[in-house]
């Protein structure tokens, strides 16, 4: 799928071409992964069935089963209904219901995606993160939750974050960072103790909140320990701007008709202006994020109108003198460095560290005629809709766009933007010192 050419009208713009609502017409050549079944945890045991002579119950179950469809998911649901209706054994043989869910490898939230992109070098801190993510996953089980397993994971994380394990947890920090690291470690331990209480008292909502807070402290510690990029930029792209870490950009947006559409969180009431913050991730997409940050520093997006649709908010680039394109850049899960100019084969299991299938994903549009290069100045914010996702819960265009950041504050403002609204000013809030802008080659 391609981005629009610069000759397209503003009303017809989409992030992948001049045809409207491109995401509602997925390509048949790239379909999402199918759902897969997990054998653990077990929801119910149907090793035995009681008999009944109720004809109505048999008819109701038969109708339900016919609608459930073939396959493992339909069979598991049918077995559960049979047990609940006390149907005779011959209708459905003994079976175990299994938890069927979308692909669990890929991050489903902004916090999870950004956390997993950090190059974690501390094995003890990585183990704390693993235990907490296991707990977060088990909290999503809809039936009886394995509180005992969660308690064991939390206890293991507490041991690693205790006073005895503190030296290993802070290993790798520079002397100037030790005070900040110790404060973060104290905060992490306090959050883990709160999580321990929520798990022991079996409060799922409170436990979910506490595990999220603890994971944020883990991410802060990992960012403090991360020395920079764990890989080298390919020589072919060494002359391009690159971001060797994280940066935050703030957008001040205004309603085109000057109406009061945004909530003023500082002074209260409504305002014609709103604020959006985007976190740029150089750990996964150093070239794309660096190019975007350089554009912001150059004032390219000041007084720039946006084009909004149901699926995205697009910000056009420079029409008179567009910036040079950048290579498509995606870091696959399980890999140490990004792949360039090649979309991921999502159908066969390749998944990105920074997914498009999260509301607020930020990416450059495609250059017309190719998926190997992205625009050097035109970008979009994707408004992911689970209702239009595939069976694996992924966007149909997952793996074809290189995500380089996410909206981390003000997504409510971004969602209200309409075509004709304006980015009044874009500025760098933090991370400017991590942008490397190579000197242009000397003309001989």
């Amino acid at each position: 799928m391609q981005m629009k050419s610069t000759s397209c009208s503003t009303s017809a713009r989409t992030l992948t071409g001049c045809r409207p609502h491109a995401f509602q017409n997925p390509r048949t050549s790239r379909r999402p992964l199918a759902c897969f079944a997990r054998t653990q945890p077990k929801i119910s045991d149907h090793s035995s069935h009681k008999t009944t002579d109720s004809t109505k119950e048999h008819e109701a179950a038969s109708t339900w089963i016919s609608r459930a469809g073939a396959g493992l998911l339909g069979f598991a649901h049918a077995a559960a209904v049979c047990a609940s209706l006390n149907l005779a054994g011959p209708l459905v043989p003994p079976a175990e219901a299994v938890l069927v869910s979308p692909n669990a490898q890929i991050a489903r939230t902004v916090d999870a995606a950004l956390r997993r992109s950090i190059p974690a070098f501390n094995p003890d801190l990585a183990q704390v993160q693993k235990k907490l993510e296991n707990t977060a996953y088990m909290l999503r089980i809809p039936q009886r939750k394995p509180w005992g397993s969660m308690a064991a994971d939390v206890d293991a994380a507490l041991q690693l974050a205790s006073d005895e394990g503190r030296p290993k947890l802070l290993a790798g920090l520079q002397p100037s960072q030790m005070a900040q690291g110790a404060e973060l470690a104290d905060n992490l331990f306090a959050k883990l103790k709160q999580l321990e209480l929520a798990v022991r008292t079996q409060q799922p909502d409170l436990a979910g909140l506490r595990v999220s807070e603890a994971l944020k402290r883990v991410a802060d510690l990992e960012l403090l320990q991360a020395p920079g990029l764990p890989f080298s930029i390919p020589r072919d792209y060494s002359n391009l701007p690159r971001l060797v870490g994280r940066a935050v950009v703030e957008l001040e947006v205004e309603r085109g008709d000057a109406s009061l559409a945004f909530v003023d969180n500082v002074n209260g009431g409504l305002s014609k202006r709103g604020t959006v913050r985007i976190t740029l991730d150089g750990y996964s997409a150093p070239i794309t994020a660096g190019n975007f940050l350089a554009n912001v520093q150059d004032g390219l997006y000041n007084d720039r109108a946006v084009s909004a649709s149901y699926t995205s908010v697009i910000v056009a680039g420079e029409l008179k003198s567009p910036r040079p394109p950048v290579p498509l850049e995606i870091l696959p899960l399980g890999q140490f460095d990004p792949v360039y100019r090649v979309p991921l084969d999502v159908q066969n299991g390749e998944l990105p560290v920074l997914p498009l299938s999260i509301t607020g994903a930020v990416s450059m549009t495609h250059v017309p005629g190719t998926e190997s290069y992205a625009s050097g100045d035109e970008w979009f914010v994707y408004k992911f809709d689970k209702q239009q996702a595939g069976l694996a819960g992924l966007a149909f265009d997952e793996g074809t766009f290189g995500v380089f950041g996410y909206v981390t504050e003000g997504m409510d403002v971004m969602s209200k933007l309409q075509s004709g609204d304006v980015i009044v000013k874009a500025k760098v809030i933090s991370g400017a010192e991590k942008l490397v802008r190579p000197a242009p080659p000397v003309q001989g």
Side-chain angles (χ1 to χ4, degrees):
M1 302 180 70
Q2 309 303 331
M3 76 163 215
K4 57 88 191 166
S5 66
T6 53
S7 61
C8 296
S9 64
T10 301
S11 61
R13 286 182 182 174
T14 69
L15 59 93
T16 55
C18 293
R19 52 194 174 87
H21 305 296
F23 277 82
Q24 297 178 15
N25 297 283
R27 301 179 305 160
T28 56
S29 59
R30 183 174 293 276
R31 295 180 180 176
L33 291 168
C35 290
F36 64 92
R38 292 184 173 271
T39 56
Q40 293 294 336
K42 188 185 301 181
I43 295 178
S44 58
D45 186 2
H46 307 298
S47 58
S48 63
H49 298 274
K50 296 180 180 180
T51 60
T52 178
D53 294 328
S54 174
T55 304
K56 291 184 179 180
E57 290 178 344
H58 276 287
E59 292 176 351
S62 299
T63 301
W64 192 96
I65 292 169
S66 65
R67 292 178 179 176
L72 180 59
L73 179 60
F75 182 80
H77 284 185
V81 171
C82 291
S84 65
L85 295 178
N86 295 319
L87 298 182
L91 182 62
V92 177
E96 291 183 349
V98 294
L99 179 62
V100 180
S101 65
N103 195 304
Q105 297 182 51
I106 200 166
R108 297 292 173 174
T109 65
V110 169
D111 287 342
L114 291 175
R115 182 173 63 250
R116 294 179 186 180
S117 74
I118 304 171
F121 295 96
N122 188 310
D124 287 67
L125 191 55
Q127 194 62 222
V128 172
Q129 178 177 332
K130 181 180 179 181
K131 298 296 184 183
L132 290 174
E133 288 185 342
N134 285 344
T135 301
Y137 177 77
M138 287 186 281
L139 280 170
R140 298 202 301 269
I141 296 173
Q143 302 295 325
R144 296 183 59 185
K145 303 184 187 300
W147 294 106
S149 298
M150 285 188 275
D153 280 339
V154 174
D155 185 64
L158 275 168
Q159 292 296 323
L160 292 167
S162 64
D163 290 339
E164 293 78 10
R166 187 67 58 85
K168 290 183 178 180
L169 203 67
L170 299 180
L173 291 179
Q174 299 297 322
S176 60
Q177 299 174 315
M178 289 303 295
Q180 184 180 358
E183 182 180 356
L184 286 173
D186 288 341
N187 202 311
L188 171 61
F189 187 80
K191 295 300 180 184
L192 287 173
K193 293 297 289 184
Q194 293 174 347
L195 173 60
E196 180 186 38
L197 178 61
V199 170
R200 293 195 182 282
T201 54
Q202 299 187 6
Q203 302 181 64
D205 292 340
L206 184 59
L209 175 63
R210 298 309 185 199
V211 74
S212 177
E213 292 173 342
L215 281 168
K216 287 181 179 179
R217 285 5 180 236
V218 169
D220 290 340
L221 261 177
E222 288 180 333
L223 280 174
L224 194 63
Q225 293 174 339
L229 299 185
F231 52 84
S232 299
I233 299 295
R235 182 176 300 179
D236 291 345
Y237 311 128
S238 59
N239 63 324
L240 300 176
R242 58 186 180 272
L243 180 63
V244 293
R246 290 272 173 84
V248 177
V249 168
E250 183 177 275
L251 310 177
E252 185 179 359
V253 298
E254 183 178 83
R255 189 63 107 193
D257 59 5
S259 60
L260 305 179
F262 309 114
V263 176
D264 188 338
N265 295 320
V266 177
N267 302 315
L270 297 178
S271 172
K272 67 178 181 179
R273 291 191 175 185
T275 301
V276 177
R277 287 195 174 185
I278 299 173
T279 297
L280 310 180
D281 185 51
Y283 295 122
S284 296
I287 292 175
T288 319
N291 175 77
F292 181 84
L293 192 61
N295 289 346
V296 171
Q297 286 187 338
D298 294 343
L300 185 63
Y301 302 121
N302 295 341
D303 299 317
R304 184 74 62 180
V306 306
S307 177
S309 69
Y310 176 74
T311 56
S312 63
V313 175
I314 305 176
V315 181
E318 184 61 50
L319 299 180
K320 295 181 180 179
S321 54
R323 296 294 173 95
V326 294
L328 179 67
E329 180 181 42
I330 305 177
L331 177 62
L333 277 173
Q335 300 297 317
F336 293 100
D337 52 356
V339 295
Y340 293 92
R341 299 174 54 187
V342 180
L344 297 188
D345 188 0
V346 174
Q347 184 176 0
N348 288 319
E350 283 188 319
L351 297 170
V353 171
L354 300 183
L356 181 69
S357 306
I358 296 176
T359 295
V362 184
S363 176
M364 309 304 290
T365 59
H366 284 159
V367 168
T370 178
E371 289 186 344
S372 299
Y373 286 92
S375 171
D377 46 27
E378 184 171 270
W379 57 282
F380 67 92
V381 175
Y382 185 45
K383 296 185 284 187
F384 177 59
D385 184 1
K386 295 179 181 179
Q387 302 275 336
Q388 296 184 359
L391 292 178
L394 303 179
F396 287 104
D397 286 287
E398 188 67 78
T400 63
F401 288 94
V403 175
F404 61 86
Y406 294 97
V407 174
T408 46
E409 293 183 35
M411 191 60 211
D412 57 328
V413 174
M414 183 64 67
S415 299
K416 293 178 181 178
L417 290 181
Q418 300 175 354
S419 295
D421 292 348
V422 178
I423 298 176
V424 179
K425 185 176 181 58
K427 62 181 179 180
V428 182
I429 298 299
S430 63
E433 73 282 358
K434 297 179 181 179
L435 176 63
V436 178
R437 303 187 72 167
V442 179
Q443 301 295 329

